PDB file of all heavy atoms in Angstrom:
ATOM      1  N   SER A 168      78.051 104.781  92.052  1.00 86.00           N
ATOM      2  CA  SER A 168      79.438 105.181  92.413  1.00 86.00           C
ATOM      3  C   SER A 168      79.539 106.289  93.473  1.00 86.00           C
ATOM      4  O   SER A 168      80.417 106.254  94.317  1.00 86.00           O
ATOM      5  CB  SER A 168      80.172 105.659  91.137  1.00 86.00           C
ATOM      6  OG  SER A 168      80.297 104.632  90.173  1.00 86.00           O
ATOM      7  N   ALA A 169      78.595 107.270  93.390  1.00 84.00           N
ATOM      8  CA  ALA A 169      78.516 108.262  94.376  1.00 84.00           C
ATOM      9  C   ALA A 169      78.174 107.735  95.774  1.00 84.00           C
ATOM     10  O   ALA A 169      78.675 108.165  96.814  1.00 84.00           O
ATOM     11  CB  ALA A 169      77.584 109.422  94.028  1.00 84.00           C
ATOM     12  N   LEU A 170      77.230 106.734  95.795  1.00 84.00           N
ATOM     13  CA  LEU A 170      76.699 106.263  97.095  1.00 84.00           C
ATOM     14  C   LEU A 170      77.582 105.097  97.703  1.00 84.00           C
ATOM     15  O   LEU A 170      77.850 105.113  98.918  1.00 84.00           O
ATOM     16  CB  LEU A 170      75.248 105.748  96.900  1.00 84.00           C
ATOM     17  CG  LEU A 170      74.243 106.821  96.578  1.00 84.00           C
ATOM     18  CD1 LEU A 170      72.923 106.149  96.333  1.00 84.00           C
ATOM     19  CD2 LEU A 170      74.177 107.809  97.624  1.00 84.00           C
ATOM     20  N   PHE A 171      78.016 104.189  96.895  1.00 80.00           N
ATOM     21  CA  PHE A 171      78.653 102.976  97.403  1.00 80.00           C
ATOM     22  C   PHE A 171      80.111 102.774  96.844  1.00 80.00           C
ATOM     23  O   PHE A 171      80.771 101.788  97.080  1.00 80.00           O
ATOM     24  CB  PHE A 171      77.938 101.738  97.085  1.00 80.00           C
ATOM     25  CG  PHE A 171      76.470 101.825  97.504  1.00 80.00           C
ATOM     26  CD1 PHE A 171      75.435 102.075  96.525  1.00 80.00           C
ATOM     27  CD2 PHE A 171      76.180 101.752  98.843  1.00 80.00           C
ATOM     28  CE1 PHE A 171      74.114 102.153  97.010  1.00 80.00           C
ATOM     29  CE2 PHE A 171      74.774 101.850  99.310  1.00 80.00           C
ATOM     30  CZ  PHE A 171      73.746 102.023  98.345  1.00 80.00           C
ATOM     31  N   GLY A 172      80.631 103.726  95.990  1.00 68.00           N
ATOM     32  CA  GLY A 172      81.957 103.591  95.463  1.00 68.00           C
ATOM     33  C   GLY A 172      83.050 103.756  96.494  1.00 68.00           C
ATOM     34  O   GLY A 172      82.808 104.271  97.604  1.00 68.00           O
ATOM     35  N   PRO A 173      84.211 103.303  96.189  1.00 67.00           N
ATOM     36  CA  PRO A 173      85.381 103.533  97.149  1.00 67.00           C
ATOM     37  C   PRO A 173      85.714 104.959  97.411  1.00 67.00           C
ATOM     38  O   PRO A 173      85.721 105.712  96.389  1.00 67.00           O
ATOM     39  CB  PRO A 173      86.540 102.724  96.551  1.00 67.00           C
ATOM     40  CG  PRO A 173      86.229 102.664  95.098  1.00 67.00           C
ATOM     41  CD  PRO A 173      84.712 102.656  94.971  1.00 67.00           C
ATOM     42  N   ARG A 174      86.028 105.393  98.582  1.00 67.00           N
ATOM     43  CA  ARG A 174      86.355 106.728  98.922  1.00 67.00           C
ATOM     44  C   ARG A 174      87.918 106.913  98.921  1.00 67.00           C
ATOM     45  O   ARG A 174      88.633 106.016  99.156  1.00 67.00           O
ATOM     46  CB  ARG A 174      85.853 107.085 100.335  1.00 67.00           C
ATOM     47  CG  ARG A 174      84.331 107.021 100.436  1.00 67.00           C
ATOM     48  CD  ARG A 174      83.667 108.014  99.605  1.00 67.00           C
ATOM     49  NE  ARG A 174      82.244 108.039  99.866  1.00 67.00           N
ATOM     50  CZ  ARG A 174      81.328 107.465  99.155  1.00 67.00           C
ATOM     51  NH1 ARG A 174      81.702 106.623  98.154  1.00 67.00           N
ATOM     52  NH2 ARG A 174      80.094 107.554  99.412  1.00 67.00           N
ATOM     53  N   ASP A 175      88.324 108.179  98.572  1.00 60.00           N
ATOM     54  CA  ASP A 175      89.706 108.486  98.619  1.00 60.00           C
ATOM     55  C   ASP A 175      90.187 108.525 100.005  1.00 60.00           C
ATOM     56  O   ASP A 175      89.452 109.059 100.931  1.00 60.00           O
ATOM     57  CB  ASP A 175      90.008 109.793  97.857  1.00 60.00           C
ATOM     58  CG  ASP A 175      89.630 109.690  96.319  1.00 60.00           C
ATOM     59  OD1 ASP A 175      89.800 108.574  95.835  1.00 60.00           O
ATOM     60  OD2 ASP A 175      89.282 110.735  95.805  1.00 60.00           O
ATOM     61  N   PRO A 176      91.397 108.135 100.375  1.00 66.00           N
ATOM     62  CA  PRO A 176      91.846 108.255 101.761  1.00 66.00           C
ATOM     63  C   PRO A 176      92.104 109.560 102.178  1.00 66.00           C
ATOM     64  O   PRO A 176      92.383 110.497 101.351  1.00 66.00           O
ATOM     65  CB  PRO A 176      93.204 107.412 101.634  1.00 66.00           C
ATOM     66  CG  PRO A 176      93.621 107.521 100.202  1.00 66.00           C
ATOM     67  CD  PRO A 176      92.374 107.485  99.441  1.00 66.00           C
ATOM     68  N   GLU A 177      91.906 109.843 103.428  1.00 66.00           N
ATOM     69  CA  GLU A 177      92.192 111.225 104.056  1.00 66.00           C
ATOM     70  C   GLU A 177      93.590 111.579 103.923  1.00 66.00           C
ATOM     71  O   GLU A 177      94.498 110.789 104.249  1.00 66.00           O
ATOM     72  CB  GLU A 177      91.696 111.249 105.478  1.00 66.00           C
ATOM     73  CG  GLU A 177      90.193 111.108 105.596  1.00 66.00           C
ATOM     74  CD  GLU A 177      89.429 112.360 105.007  1.00 66.00           C
ATOM     75  OE1 GLU A 177      90.017 113.392 104.982  1.00 66.00           O
ATOM     76  OE2 GLU A 177      88.280 112.159 104.704  1.00 66.00           O
ATOM     77  N   PRO A 178      93.964 112.787 103.598  1.00 66.00           N
ATOM     78  CA  PRO A 178      95.480 113.222 103.554  1.00 66.00           C
ATOM     79  C   PRO A 178      96.042 113.261 104.914  1.00 66.00           C
ATOM     80  O   PRO A 178      95.382 113.593 105.796  1.00 66.00           O
ATOM     81  CB  PRO A 178      95.425 114.572 102.905  1.00 66.00           C
ATOM     82  CG  PRO A 178      94.021 115.031 103.092  1.00 66.00           C
ATOM     83  CD  PRO A 178      93.136 113.864 103.123  1.00 66.00           C
ATOM     84  N   GLU A 179      97.271 112.780 104.993  1.00 67.00           N
ATOM     85  CA  GLU A 179      98.033 112.828 106.245  1.00 67.00           C
ATOM     86  C   GLU A 179      98.468 114.263 106.573  1.00 67.00           C
ATOM     87  O   GLU A 179      98.768 114.967 105.755  1.00 67.00           O
ATOM     88  CB  GLU A 179      99.111 111.858 106.165  1.00 67.00           C
ATOM     89  CG  GLU A 179      98.792 110.373 105.994  1.00 67.00           C
ATOM     90  CD  GLU A 179      99.913 109.389 105.998  1.00 67.00           C
ATOM     91  OE1 GLU A 179     101.034 109.933 106.097  1.00 67.00           O
ATOM     92  OE2 GLU A 179      99.726 108.224 105.862  1.00 67.00           O
ATOM     93  N   VAL A 180      98.525 114.486 107.889  1.00 59.00           N
ATOM     94  CA  VAL A 180      98.982 115.689 108.316  1.00 59.00           C
ATOM     95  C   VAL A 180     100.524 115.811 108.132  1.00 59.00           C
ATOM     96  O   VAL A 180     101.177 114.826 108.536  1.00 59.00           O
ATOM     97  CB  VAL A 180      98.707 115.966 109.817  1.00 59.00           C
ATOM     98  CG1 VAL A 180      99.169 117.303 110.377  1.00 59.00           C
ATOM     99  CG2 VAL A 180      97.036 115.870 109.980  1.00 59.00           C
ATOM    100  N   PRO A 181     101.043 116.830 107.548  1.00 58.00           N
ATOM    101  CA  PRO A 181     102.618 116.961 107.482  1.00 58.00           C
ATOM    102  C   PRO A 181     103.248 116.823 108.749  1.00 58.00           C
ATOM    103  O   PRO A 181     102.736 117.355 109.833  1.00 58.00           O
ATOM    104  CB  PRO A 181     102.757 118.304 106.728  1.00 58.00           C
ATOM    105  CG  PRO A 181     101.521 118.572 106.046  1.00 58.00           C
ATOM    106  CD  PRO A 181     100.438 117.955 106.893  1.00 58.00           C
ATOM    107  N   TYR A 182     104.517 116.309 108.763  1.00 56.00           N
ATOM    108  CA  TYR A 182     105.224 116.116 109.995  1.00 56.00           C
ATOM    109  C   TYR A 182     105.491 117.367 110.675  1.00 56.00           C
ATOM    110  O   TYR A 182     105.656 117.409 111.902  1.00 56.00           O
ATOM    111  CB  TYR A 182     106.407 115.191 109.762  1.00 56.00           C
ATOM    112  CG  TYR A 182     107.447 115.866 108.990  1.00 56.00           C
ATOM    113  CD1 TYR A 182     108.526 116.645 109.676  1.00 56.00           C
ATOM    114  CD2 TYR A 182     107.527 115.922 107.582  1.00 56.00           C
ATOM    115  CE1 TYR A 182     109.446 117.284 108.967  1.00 56.00           C
ATOM    116  CE2 TYR A 182     108.511 116.505 106.988  1.00 56.00           C
ATOM    117  CZ  TYR A 182     109.553 117.188 107.672  1.00 56.00           C
ATOM    118  OH  TYR A 182     110.544 117.851 106.996  1.00 56.00           O
ATOM    119  N   TRP A 183     105.760 118.420 109.973  1.00 56.00           N
ATOM    120  CA  TRP A 183     106.138 119.682 110.600  1.00 56.00           C
ATOM    121  C   TRP A 183     104.891 120.398 111.208  1.00 56.00           C
ATOM    122  O   TRP A 183     105.103 121.389 111.947  1.00 56.00           O
ATOM    123  CB  TRP A 183     106.716 120.690 109.600  1.00 56.00           C
ATOM    124  CG  TRP A 183     105.853 121.186 108.414  1.00 56.00           C
ATOM    125  CD1 TRP A 183     104.993 122.098 108.475  1.00 56.00           C
ATOM    126  CD2 TRP A 183     105.833 120.467 107.116  1.00 56.00           C
ATOM    127  NE1 TRP A 183     104.384 122.187 107.261  1.00 56.00           N
ATOM    128  CE2 TRP A 183     104.890 121.168 106.422  1.00 56.00           C
ATOM    129  CE3 TRP A 183     106.451 119.371 106.576  1.00 56.00           C
ATOM    130  CZ2 TRP A 183     104.551 120.827 105.138  1.00 56.00           C
ATOM    131  CZ3 TRP A 183     106.162 119.025 105.245  1.00 56.00           C
ATOM    132  CH2 TRP A 183     105.134 119.749 104.549  1.00 56.00           C
ATOM    133  N   LEU A 184     103.663 119.893 111.001  1.00 58.00           N
ATOM    134  CA  LEU A 184     102.490 120.405 111.632  1.00 58.00           C
ATOM    135  C   LEU A 184     101.903 119.575 112.716  1.00 58.00           C
ATOM    136  O   LEU A 184     100.889 119.943 113.313  1.00 58.00           O
ATOM    137  CB  LEU A 184     101.316 120.780 110.547  1.00 58.00           C
ATOM    138  CG  LEU A 184     101.703 121.764 109.509  1.00 58.00           C
ATOM    139  CD1 LEU A 184     100.555 121.954 108.544  1.00 58.00           C
ATOM    140  CD2 LEU A 184     101.985 123.069 110.191  1.00 58.00           C
ATOM    141  N   GLN A 185     102.509 118.335 112.928  1.00 59.00           N
ATOM    142  CA  GLN A 185     101.848 117.432 113.817  1.00 59.00           C
ATOM    143  C   GLN A 185     102.070 117.900 115.223  1.00 59.00           C
ATOM    144  O   GLN A 185     101.175 117.584 116.111  1.00 59.00           O
ATOM    145  CB  GLN A 185     102.592 116.083 113.728  1.00 59.00           C
ATOM    146  CG  GLN A 185     102.218 115.339 112.362  1.00 59.00           C
ATOM    147  CD  GLN A 185     102.908 114.020 112.273  1.00 59.00           C
ATOM    148  OE1 GLN A 185     103.597 113.548 113.095  1.00 59.00           O
ATOM    149  NE2 GLN A 185     102.622 113.301 111.131  1.00 59.00           N
ATOM    150  N   GLY A 186     103.071 118.712 115.614  1.00 54.00           N
ATOM    151  CA  GLY A 186     103.244 119.140 116.964  1.00 54.00           C
ATOM    152  C   GLY A 186     102.361 120.323 117.321  1.00 54.00           C
ATOM    153  O   GLY A 186     102.224 120.633 118.501  1.00 54.00           O
ATOM    154  N   GLN A 187     101.752 120.943 116.266  1.00 54.00           N
ATOM    155  CA  GLN A 187     100.922 122.079 116.631  1.00 54.00           C
ATOM    156  C   GLN A 187      99.436 121.841 116.763  1.00 54.00           C
ATOM    157  O   GLN A 187      98.653 122.692 117.055  1.00 54.00           O
ATOM    158  CB  GLN A 187     101.041 123.148 115.432  1.00 54.00           C
ATOM    159  CG  GLN A 187     102.421 123.675 115.191  1.00 54.00           C
ATOM    160  CD  GLN A 187     102.487 124.640 114.076  1.00 54.00           C
ATOM    161  OE1 GLN A 187     101.457 124.959 113.482  1.00 54.00           O
ATOM    162  NE2 GLN A 187     103.732 125.153 113.815  1.00 54.00           N
ATOM    163  N   GLN A 188      98.972 120.620 116.430  1.00 51.00           N
ATOM    164  CA  GLN A 188      97.627 120.243 116.537  1.00 51.00           C
ATOM    165  C   GLN A 188      97.517 119.030 117.474  1.00 51.00           C
ATOM    166  O   GLN A 188      98.419 118.318 117.696  1.00 51.00           O
ATOM    167  CB  GLN A 188      97.043 119.904 115.169  1.00 51.00           C
ATOM    168  CG  GLN A 188      97.040 121.097 114.253  1.00 51.00           C
ATOM    169  CD  GLN A 188      96.508 120.749 112.921  1.00 51.00           C
ATOM    170  OE1 GLN A 188      96.349 119.559 112.557  1.00 51.00           O
ATOM    171  NE2 GLN A 188      96.170 121.795 112.106  1.00 51.00           N
ATOM    172  N   GLY A 189      96.194 118.946 117.929  1.00 49.00           N
ATOM    173  CA  GLY A 189      95.960 117.856 118.827  1.00 49.00           C
ATOM    174  C   GLY A 189      95.850 116.502 118.094  1.00 49.00           C
ATOM    175  O   GLY A 189      96.042 116.493 116.838  1.00 49.00           O
ATOM    176  N   PRO A 190      95.448 115.439 118.820  1.00 50.00           N
ATOM    177  CA  PRO A 190      95.311 114.161 118.077  1.00 50.00           C
ATOM    178  C   PRO A 190      94.242 114.057 116.993  1.00 50.00           C
ATOM    179  O   PRO A 190      94.323 113.322 116.114  1.00 50.00           O
ATOM    180  CB  PRO A 190      94.980 113.199 119.278  1.00 50.00           C
ATOM    181  CG  PRO A 190      94.417 114.068 120.343  1.00 50.00           C
ATOM    182  CD  PRO A 190      95.085 115.355 120.198  1.00 50.00           C
ATOM    183  N   GLN A 191      93.235 114.973 117.112  1.00 50.00           N
ATOM    184  CA  GLN A 191      92.195 115.010 116.160  1.00 50.00           C
ATOM    185  C   GLN A 191      92.281 116.264 115.238  1.00 50.00           C
ATOM    186  O   GLN A 191      91.161 116.609 114.665  1.00 50.00           O
ATOM    187  CB  GLN A 191      90.794 114.914 116.869  1.00 50.00           C
ATOM    188  CG  GLN A 191      90.642 113.674 117.639  1.00 50.00           C
ATOM    189  CD  GLN A 191      89.320 113.562 118.295  1.00 50.00           C
ATOM    190  OE1 GLN A 191      88.550 114.507 118.196  1.00 50.00           O
ATOM    191  NE2 GLN A 191      89.008 112.439 118.906  1.00 50.00           N
ATOM    192  N   GLY A 192      93.335 116.853 115.117  1.00 47.00           N
ATOM    193  CA  GLY A 192      93.474 118.032 114.173  1.00 47.00           C
ATOM    194  C   GLY A 192      92.975 119.276 114.819  1.00 47.00           C
ATOM    195  O   GLY A 192      92.716 120.202 114.159  1.00 47.00           O
ATOM    196  N   GLN A 193      92.702 119.349 116.176  1.00 51.00           N
ATOM    197  CA  GLN A 193      92.144 120.506 116.809  1.00 51.00           C
ATOM    198  C   GLN A 193      93.204 121.051 117.752  1.00 51.00           C
ATOM    199  O   GLN A 193      93.905 120.340 118.377  1.00 51.00           O
ATOM    200  CB  GLN A 193      90.807 120.291 117.544  1.00 51.00           C
ATOM    201  CG  GLN A 193      89.753 119.644 116.683  1.00 51.00           C
ATOM    202  CD  GLN A 193      88.530 119.370 117.458  1.00 51.00           C
ATOM    203  OE1 GLN A 193      88.560 119.363 118.735  1.00 51.00           O
ATOM    204  NE2 GLN A 193      87.462 119.019 116.730  1.00 51.00           N
ATOM    205  N   GLN A 194      93.139 122.359 118.064  1.00 49.00           N
ATOM    206  CA  GLN A 194      94.066 122.912 118.882  1.00 49.00           C
ATOM    207  C   GLN A 194      93.768 122.553 120.340  1.00 49.00           C
ATOM    208  O   GLN A 194      92.553 122.412 120.725  1.00 49.00           O
ATOM    209  CB  GLN A 194      94.007 124.549 118.708  1.00 49.00           C
ATOM    210  CG  GLN A 194      94.425 125.007 117.394  1.00 49.00           C
ATOM    211  CD  GLN A 194      94.403 126.580 117.393  1.00 49.00           C
ATOM    212  OE1 GLN A 194      93.957 127.241 118.266  1.00 49.00           O
ATOM    213  NE2 GLN A 194      94.898 127.073 116.225  1.00 49.00           N
ATOM    214  N   GLU A 195      94.791 122.435 121.164  1.00 48.00           N
ATOM    215  CA  GLU A 195      94.671 122.024 122.514  1.00 48.00           C
ATOM    216  C   GLU A 195      94.053 123.164 123.300  1.00 48.00           C
ATOM    217  O   GLU A 195      94.319 124.361 123.085  1.00 48.00           O
ATOM    218  CB  GLU A 195      96.044 121.722 123.094  1.00 48.00           C
ATOM    219  CG  GLU A 195      96.767 120.478 122.402  1.00 48.00           C
ATOM    220  CD  GLU A 195      98.084 120.232 123.075  1.00 48.00           C
ATOM    221  OE1 GLU A 195      98.395 120.963 123.976  1.00 48.00           O
ATOM    222  OE2 GLU A 195      98.749 119.225 122.571  1.00 48.00           O
ATOM    223  N   GLN A 196      93.099 122.832 124.178  1.00 54.00           N
ATOM    224  CA  GLN A 196      92.425 123.778 124.937  1.00 54.00           C
ATOM    225  C   GLN A 196      93.284 124.213 126.204  1.00 54.00           C
ATOM    226  O   GLN A 196      94.015 123.387 126.675  1.00 54.00           O
ATOM    227  CB  GLN A 196      91.060 123.206 125.383  1.00 54.00           C
ATOM    228  CG  GLN A 196      90.138 122.907 124.326  1.00 54.00           C
ATOM    229  CD  GLN A 196      88.893 122.273 124.784  1.00 54.00           C
ATOM    230  OE1 GLN A 196      88.645 122.085 126.031  1.00 54.00           O
ATOM    231  NE2 GLN A 196      87.842 122.122 123.870  1.00 54.00           N
ATOM    232  N   GLN A 197      93.076 125.385 126.657  1.00 53.00           N
ATOM    233  CA  GLN A 197      93.782 125.915 127.844  1.00 53.00           C
ATOM    234  C   GLN A 197      93.100 125.230 129.124  1.00 53.00           C
ATOM    235  O   GLN A 197      91.926 125.012 129.178  1.00 53.00           O
ATOM    236  CB  GLN A 197      93.630 127.438 127.927  1.00 53.00           C
ATOM    237  CG  GLN A 197      94.317 128.111 126.711  1.00 53.00           C
ATOM    238  CD  GLN A 197      95.827 127.993 126.698  1.00 53.00           C
ATOM    239  OE1 GLN A 197      96.422 127.707 127.796  1.00 53.00           O
ATOM    240  NE2 GLN A 197      96.417 128.038 125.628  1.00 53.00           N
ATOM    241  N   PRO A 198      93.940 124.990 130.095  1.00 54.00           N
ATOM    242  CA  PRO A 198      93.324 124.391 131.343  1.00 54.00           C
ATOM    243  C   PRO A 198      92.443 125.450 132.099  1.00 54.00           C
ATOM    244  O   PRO A 198      92.622 126.632 132.071  1.00 54.00           O
ATOM    245  CB  PRO A 198      94.708 124.112 132.153  1.00 54.00           C
ATOM    246  CG  PRO A 198      95.709 124.975 131.608  1.00 54.00           C
ATOM    247  CD  PRO A 198      95.370 125.209 130.187  1.00 54.00           C
ATOM    248  N   GLU A 199      91.502 124.872 132.713  1.00 62.00           N
ATOM    249  CA  GLU A 199      90.486 125.692 133.468  1.00 62.00           C
ATOM    250  C   GLU A 199      91.135 126.244 134.740  1.00 62.00           C
ATOM    251  O   GLU A 199      91.796 125.555 135.432  1.00 62.00           O
ATOM    252  CB  GLU A 199      89.241 124.890 133.806  1.00 62.00           C
ATOM    253  CG  GLU A 199      88.132 125.170 132.848  1.00 62.00           C
ATOM    254  CD  GLU A 199      86.900 124.350 133.354  1.00 62.00           C
ATOM    255  OE1 GLU A 199      86.410 124.740 134.341  1.00 62.00           O
ATOM    256  OE2 GLU A 199      86.459 123.635 132.649  1.00 62.00           O
TER     257      GLU A 199
END
């Protein structure tokens, strides 16, 4: 079960935090 069992789905990002993070949950980097 630990090796091949079904995994729990990843929790979704709340809608009020979606604008503060990038597409992969990381903060946007400043331009060079």
